[in-house]
């Protein structure tokens, strides 16, 4: 059996270390919020020195970008896991329920992905492309329901992030706003969907 080249071993070790830093970053923001993400505290939680963090990420924004990419990828996977049925309205309802559950289950992830909650941070084009992929899937789902105008997508996303914001802010752990998903979907489709 051939041994792996040293470069591959080093790269694997580097990727494992980067993953450990990201895991510590998520643990930190889930415990204390996005504003608590500091390189010093992150290094302490990861069991490394602050200069070592810089060996794996060139800046705090690079860490946030990697976290954004992970969040966007998880969202794309969430949407892709939903079954496609012969009923576009039921598919749209399943999609909004999944969106709300995804968001309220991890508030810092939601804030990073959908609220631009970190001043001075903008995701890289590569990371943002994943988020656009999820938005494209929503656009296609709305089109299957007869809502084709670009403003329909804007209205739909505003309504649903509004439900999430209300749920997170005013009834964390409850369902006061998340349970409105079916009503909102019916109202939206009555106004903008194809008449069936």
């Amino acid at each position: 059996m051939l041994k792996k080249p040293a470069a591959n071993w080093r790269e694997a070790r580097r990727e494992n270390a980067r993953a450990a830093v990201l895991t510590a970053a998520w643990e930190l923001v889930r415990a204390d919020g996005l504003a608590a993400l500091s390189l010093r505290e992150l290094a302490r939680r990861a069991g490394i020195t602050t200069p070592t963090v810089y060996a794996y990420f060139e800046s705090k924004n690079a860490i946030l970008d990697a976290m954004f990419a992970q969040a966007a990828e998880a969202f794309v996977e969430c949407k892709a896991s939903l079954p496609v049925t012969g009923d576009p309205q039921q598919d749209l309802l399943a999609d909004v329920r999944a969106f709300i559950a995804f968001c309220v289950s991890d508030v810092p992830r939601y804030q990073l992905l959908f609220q631009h909650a970190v001043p001075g941070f903008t995701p890289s084009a590569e990371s943002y492309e994943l988020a656009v992929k999820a938005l494209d899937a929503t656009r296609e789902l709305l089109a299957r329901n007869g809502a084709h105008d670009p403003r329909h997508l804007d209205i739909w996303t505003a309504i649903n992030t509004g439900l999430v914001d209300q749920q997170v802010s005013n009834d964390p752990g409850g369902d006061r706003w998340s349970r409105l998903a079916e009503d909102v979907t019916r109202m939206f489709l009555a106004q903008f969907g194809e008449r069936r």
Side-chain angles (χ1 to χ4, degrees), residues 157-173:
T157 58
I159 290 169
N160 290 303
T161 56
L163 286 177
V164 171
D165 286 344
Q166 287 285 67
Q167 190 60 60
V168 166
S169 299
N170 297 305
D171 190 27

Side-chain angles (χ1 to χ4, degrees), residues 42-173:
L42 176 57
R44 188 188 72 72
R45 284 188 180 234
I48 57 178
T49 65
T50 303
T52 303
V53 174
Y54 284 109
Y56 302 114
F57 295 94
E58 62 272 11
S59 66
K60 179 178 171 180
N61 277 356
I63 294 168
L64 288 165
D65 188 62
M67 293 170 72
F68 184 96
Q70 286 180 336
E73 188 173 332
F75 185 50
V76 168
E77 289 171 4
C78 172
K79 290 180 77 65
S81 72
L82 298 173
V84 177
T85 70
D87 186 339
Q89 185 171 344
Q90 284 305 310
D91 290 350
L92 187 62
L93 180 56
D95 185 77
V96 69
R97 284 180 173 151
F99 171 74
I100 293 169
F102 178 87
C103 294
V104 301
S105 70
D106 191 335
V107 174
R109 179 179 67 185
Y110 164 68
Q111 292 169 331
L112 182 62
L113 195 54
F114 298 108
Q115 292 190 321
H116 304 287
V118 181
F121 168 69
T122 302
S124 66
E126 297 82 15
S127 295
Y128 193 68
E129 189 176 317
L130 292 166
V132 170
K133 185 177 178 181
L135 190 62
D136 287 343
T138 300
R139 185 180 289 111
E140 291 169 15
L141 187 52
L142 289 175
R144 286 181 46 219
N145 280 279
H148 301 279
D149 192 302
R151 70 190 183 100
H152 296 157
L153 179 63
D154 291 345
I155 293 166
W156 182 248
T157 58
I159 290 169
N160 290 303
T161 56
L163 286 177
V164 171
D165 286 344
Q166 287 285 67
Q167 190 60 60
V168 166
S169 299
N170 297 305
D171 190 27

